[in-house]
Amino acid sequence: MKITLKDGSVKEYDNAMSIIDIAKDISEGLARAACAGEVNGKVEDLRTIINDDVNLSILTFDDEKGKAAYRHTCSHVLAEAVKRVFPEAKLAIGPSIDTGFYYDFEHEPFSREDLDKIEAEMKKVIKENAEIERFELPREEAIKFMEDKNEPYKVELIKDLPEDAVISFYRQGEFTDLCAGPHIMRTGIIKSFKLISSSGAYWRGNSENKMLARIYGTAYTKKADLDAYLEHLEDIKKRDHNKLGREMEIFTTVDVIGQGLPLIMPNGVIIMNTLKRWIEDEETKRGYVRTQTPLMAKSDLYKMSGHWEHYKEGMFVLGDEEKDDEVFALRPMTCPFQYYVYKASQKSYRDLPCRYGETSTLFRNEDSGEMHGLTRVRQFTISEGHLIVRPDQMVKEFKDCIALAQYCLKTLGVEEDVTYHLSKWDPADTKKYIGAPEVWEETEQHIREILTELNIPFVEDVGEAAFYGPKVDINAKNVYGKEDTMITIQWDALLAEQFDMYYIDERGEKVRPYIIHRTSMGCYERTIAWLIEKYAGLFPTWLCPEQVRVLPISEKYADYAKQVEEELKNNDIRASVDNRAEKIGFKIRDARLKRVPYMLVVGQKEEEEGKVSVRSRFLGDEGQKDLAVFIDDICREIRAKEIRKIEVTEESK
């Protein structure tokens, strides 16, 4: 048989060989580093026997798929250690993830002390250097095997597998786990690991199921790499919007008000209003008209749109359908409301496209386990819009929506931080959707062609479409690596029929329009969280709640400081004066801690000459400037929404 390797070279063998033996034949060093193999594009366990001509890549920790196998093995080491320290714990699942691995257990929440005990036991498991063996069992034997071990979650997983599924297990010493693999060869290969944290997680992600205890960890082949990652985690903690946003008094939460209902504080309102005005003005330039629609509606509206059937569990329903004549619900979206704005007057083909924009407050009944800071909340505000267009206008308008989204991302300085997804329907679960298969295939192909034409790299996600149409999701990861959708643009060729929407074409006939559902920047709360983490609270000047702080050297210059402040405010610059009886060094440090981008120090010389001494987070001590010159400079920076590079110097630290 011929084995074609990654570099194009070919190895020939007379007999079948395992991937690990092929790796040994290539190089003992490669075999020691091997974590898995990729056979004809499919990741396989190192124990897999090759008996035919194939393309083979030996995957090491430097390969993402090899790294996943290494870390998945570490999750099994974690599970074995937990069973030793806490024998009553029940095993659920333990996959690798981008940042490491986790394992879910039925057990009381784990404390940091518990994690330290488990870590110590993991080191013992690794030191034992047990060989990891793979074996398979028939379905009934596999079920009995796990029933005898009193592992109900594993039994459930086996029963849910297809009848023809291969049911495989991995054994390392005394510990055996249900697993598809792949795994490295021995536990002793694991060099450096750390258990990071523990949290709750619903079994199978369903809030109706039992809450399990999840342990997160990570693993590397070199201690230096692990140390660097742990240092990175410390930086993450400093950037975490849920911590930093509270410290900066951007938002807070209160138990008595409710989970997922953040209070936006004055600093947060300044940022949010600045974003809103910018977006609304930009949309107006691009031909949008504004609407303002109710925060709730009768269930009749949602039944017509399909949300009642497909999304009712995610809505806040007001009333009881069995007892009340009218049942209302807080709106989870604005689209059907804006459809009636469109229907309020008859439209001809000349009136289209109609571009409706609204700063919409929405309500969604998120699971309590999903709530987090400003990224996952139950009440939020979005830059929502709906475009009612002729079919021949659809492609251009869809492209324009992508262009608007990209403009927003670029202005905020985050265009490099996102990924594009074509979210498609799932033909295997048609009950989740409306419309015929051919409509879905056609609309998905349109979006695919648009993204390709615009040279936008994208991935395709089955089952992530809205129930009425496919969409482009623009996603970003938070500091912990969790991906959230920031902007969405949806192609809808179906709902106009349900709402009897039409326009009069050139022949005087009624024609159904198409609809684009889109956000220009997405959810304001989530965007603010994103920006807090992106900039570690050091926002671009145009977004800063306080842009300038005036610092008089002593109370003798308080009047001049007040004059400077008034002149700044007259030019729409957000400014304040620090009149405290503190030394100037203290005032400068405090302004830096409050993340104010500019400090203007004023004393006798500045007052006499009508100047200010400028200190900034960008260049440190910038020296004296005429007040008028400084105002011109900062106004230009704010108007341009400039993102200045922060140059860390001894002066600006």
Side-chain angles (χ1 to χ4, degrees), residues 503-516:
Y503 64 92
I504 305 300
D505 70 5
E506 300 94 324
R507 297 183 297 275
E509 297 177 356
K510 292 182 178 181
V511 180
R512 299 292 183 204
Y514 282 178
I515 301 167
I516 300 173

mmCIF file of all heavy atoms in Angstrom, residues 503-516:
data_model
loop_
_atom_site.group_PDB
_atom_site.id
_atom_site.type_symbol
_atom_site.label_atom_id
_atom_site.label_comp_id
_atom_site.label_asym_id
_atom_site.label_seq_id
_atom_site.Cartn_x
_atom_site.Cartn_y
_atom_site.Cartn_z
ATOM 1 N N TYR A 503 -46.821 45.171 -3.557
ATOM 2 C CA TYR A 503 -46.687 46.468 -4.214
ATOM 3 C C TYR A 503 -47.298 46.322 -5.607
ATOM 4 O O TYR A 503 -47.523 45.201 -6.090
ATOM 5 C CB TYR A 503 -45.226 46.922 -4.289
ATOM 6 C CG TYR A 503 -44.335 46.035 -5.120
ATOM 7 C CD1 TYR A 503 -44.125 46.282 -6.482
ATOM 8 C CD2 TYR A 503 -43.682 44.936 -4.552
ATOM 9 C CE1 TYR A 503 -43.316 45.463 -7.243
ATOM 10 C CE2 TYR A 503 -42.869 44.111 -5.305
ATOM 11 C CZ TYR A 503 -42.686 44.378 -6.659
ATOM 12 O OH TYR A 503 -41.886 43.563 -7.414
ATOM 13 N N ILE A 504 -47.582 47.440 -6.251
ATOM 14 C CA ILE A 504 -48.167 47.426 -7.590
ATOM 15 C C ILE A 504 -47.043 47.576 -8.611
ATOM 16 O O ILE A 504 -46.284 48.544 -8.569
ATOM 17 C CB ILE A 504 -49.196 48.562 -7.767
ATOM 18 C CG1 ILE A 504 -50.265 48.498 -6.667
ATOM 19 C CG2 ILE A 504 -49.816 48.490 -9.157
ATOM 20 C CD1 ILE A 504 -51.052 47.212 -6.633
ATOM 21 N N ASP A 505 -46.915 46.594 -9.494
ATOM 22 C CA ASP A 505 -45.805 46.647 -10.467
ATOM 23 C C ASP A 505 -46.172 47.480 -11.686
ATOM 24 O O ASP A 505 -47.255 48.111 -11.734
ATOM 25 C CB ASP A 505 -45.369 45.243 -10.858
ATOM 26 C CG ASP A 505 -46.405 44.503 -11.720
ATOM 27 O OD1 ASP A 505 -47.426 45.108 -12.108
ATOM 28 O OD2 ASP A 505 -46.175 43.305 -12.007
ATOM 29 N N GLU A 506 -45.287 47.476 -12.695
ATOM 30 C CA GLU A 506 -45.475 48.319 -13.884
ATOM 31 C C GLU A 506 -46.752 47.978 -14.642
ATOM 32 O O GLU A 506 -47.328 48.827 -15.334
ATOM 33 C CB GLU A 506 -44.274 48.154 -14.836
ATOM 34 C CG GLU A 506 -42.930 48.540 -14.239
ATOM 35 C CD GLU A 506 -42.201 47.337 -13.643
ATOM 36 O OE1 GLU A 506 -42.899 46.467 -13.080
ATOM 37 O OE2 GLU A 506 -40.967 47.285 -13.750
ATOM 38 N N ARG A 507 -47.236 46.749 -14.517
ATOM 39 C CA ARG A 507 -48.447 46.329 -15.236
ATOM 40 C C ARG A 507 -49.712 46.510 -14.403
ATOM 41 O O ARG A 507 -50.792 46.091 -14.802
ATOM 42 C CB ARG A 507 -48.298 44.866 -15.657
ATOM 43 C CG ARG A 507 -47.153 44.609 -16.625
ATOM 44 C CD ARG A 507 -47.095 43.150 -17.068
ATOM 45 N NE ARG A 507 -46.836 42.271 -15.938
ATOM 46 C CZ ARG A 507 -45.619 41.992 -15.470
ATOM 47 N NH1 ARG A 507 -44.555 42.563 -16.038
ATOM 48 N NH2 ARG A 507 -45.455 41.175 -14.452
ATOM 49 N N GLY A 508 -49.541 47.109 -13.214
ATOM 50 C CA GLY A 508 -50.693 47.327 -12.350
ATOM 51 C C GLY A 508 -51.099 46.105 -11.558
ATOM 52 O O GLY A 508 -52.197 46.068 -10.984
ATOM 53 N N GLU A 509 -50.222 45.109 -11.477
ATOM 54 C CA GLU A 509 -50.535 43.880 -10.762
ATOM 55 C C GLU A 509 -49.883 43.863 -9.382
ATOM 56 O O GLU A 509 -48.835 44.477 -9.164
ATOM 57 C CB GLU A 509 -50.059 42.670 -11.573
ATOM 58 C CG GLU A 509 -50.763 42.540 -12.927
ATOM 59 C CD GLU A 509 -50.219 41.374 -13.724
ATOM 60 O OE1 GLU A 509 -49.253 40.731 -13.249
ATOM 61 O OE2 GLU A 509 -50.752 41.119 -14.825
ATOM 62 N N LYS A 510 -50.516 43.134 -8.448
ATOM 63 C CA LYS A 510 -49.965 43.000 -7.106
ATOM 64 C C LYS A 510 -48.822 41.979 -7.106
ATOM 65 O O LYS A 510 -48.967 40.884 -7.645
ATOM 66 C CB LYS A 510 -51.050 42.532 -6.130
ATOM 67 C CG LYS A 510 -52.134 43.559 -5.866
ATOM 68 C CD LYS A 510 -53.143 43.027 -4.841
ATOM 69 C CE LYS A 510 -54.215 44.056 -4.531
ATOM 70 N NZ LYS A 510 -55.182 43.526 -3.522
ATOM 71 N N VAL A 511 -47.705 42.373 -6.476
ATOM 72 C CA VAL A 511 -46.526 41.506 -6.412
ATOM 73 C C VAL A 511 -46.012 41.472 -4.975
ATOM 74 O O VAL A 511 -45.997 42.499 -4.289
ATOM 75 C CB VAL A 511 -45.406 42.008 -7.354
ATOM 76 C CG1 VAL A 511 -44.180 41.101 -7.269
ATOM 77 C CG2 VAL A 511 -45.912 42.102 -8.786
ATOM 78 N N ARG A 512 -45.594 40.286 -4.535
ATOM 79 C CA ARG A 512 -45.024 40.158 -3.189
ATOM 80 C C ARG A 512 -43.593 40.708 -3.173
ATOM 81 O O ARG A 512 -42.776 40.348 -4.030
ATOM 82 C CB ARG A 512 -44.975 38.693 -2.741
ATOM 83 C CG ARG A 512 -46.322 38.017 -2.650
ATOM 84 C CD ARG A 512 -47.168 38.588 -1.542
ATOM 85 N NE ARG A 512 -48.452 37.869 -1.437
ATOM 86 C CZ ARG A 512 -49.532 38.393 -0.914
ATOM 87 N NH1 ARG A 512 -49.522 39.638 -0.440
ATOM 88 N NH2 ARG A 512 -50.657 37.683 -0.852
ATOM 89 N N PRO A 513 -43.281 41.542 -2.202
ATOM 90 C CA PRO A 513 -41.893 41.994 -2.077
ATOM 91 C C PRO A 513 -41.060 40.971 -1.316
ATOM 92 O O PRO A 513 -41.590 40.015 -0.744
ATOM 93 C CB PRO A 513 -42.030 43.281 -1.263
ATOM 94 C CG PRO A 513 -43.209 43.017 -0.368
ATOM 95 C CD PRO A 513 -44.158 42.171 -1.197
ATOM 96 N N TYR A 514 -39.751 41.171 -1.316
ATOM 97 C CA TYR A 514 -38.847 40.454 -0.427
ATOM 98 C C TYR A 514 -38.537 41.367 0.759
ATOM 99 O O TYR A 514 -38.760 42.583 0.701
ATOM 100 C CB TYR A 514 -37.538 40.089 -1.137
ATOM 101 C CG TYR A 514 -37.642 38.900 -2.066
ATOM 102 C CD1 TYR A 514 -36.533 38.491 -2.803
ATOM 103 C CD2 TYR A 514 -38.818 38.180 -2.222
ATOM 104 C CE1 TYR A 514 -36.597 37.407 -3.665
ATOM 105 C CE2 TYR A 514 -38.891 37.091 -3.073
ATOM 106 C CZ TYR A 514 -37.779 36.716 -3.798
ATOM 107 O OH TYR A 514 -37.852 35.642 -4.642
ATOM 108 N N ILE A 515 -38.008 40.768 1.814
ATOM 109 C CA ILE A 515 -37.699 41.534 3.023
ATOM 110 C C ILE A 515 -36.277 41.192 3.479
ATOM 111 O O ILE A 515 -35.868 40.026 3.440
ATOM 112 C CB ILE A 515 -38.690 41.210 4.161
ATOM 113 C CG1 ILE A 515 -40.125 41.524 3.723
ATOM 114 C CG2 ILE A 515 -38.337 42.002 5.427
ATOM 115 C CD1 ILE A 515 -41.192 40.950 4.645
ATOM 116 N N ILE A 516 -35.544 42.201 3.886
ATOM 117 C CA ILE A 516 -34.253 42.003 4.544
ATOM 118 C C ILE A 516 -34.407 42.437 5.997
ATOM 119 O O ILE A 516 -34.809 43.569 6.275
ATOM 120 C CB ILE A 516 -33.122 42.813 3.879
ATOM 121 C CG1 ILE A 516 -32.953 42.412 2.419
ATOM 122 C CG2 ILE A 516 -31.803 42.624 4.648
ATOM 123 C CD1 ILE A 516 -31.967 43.276 1.652
#
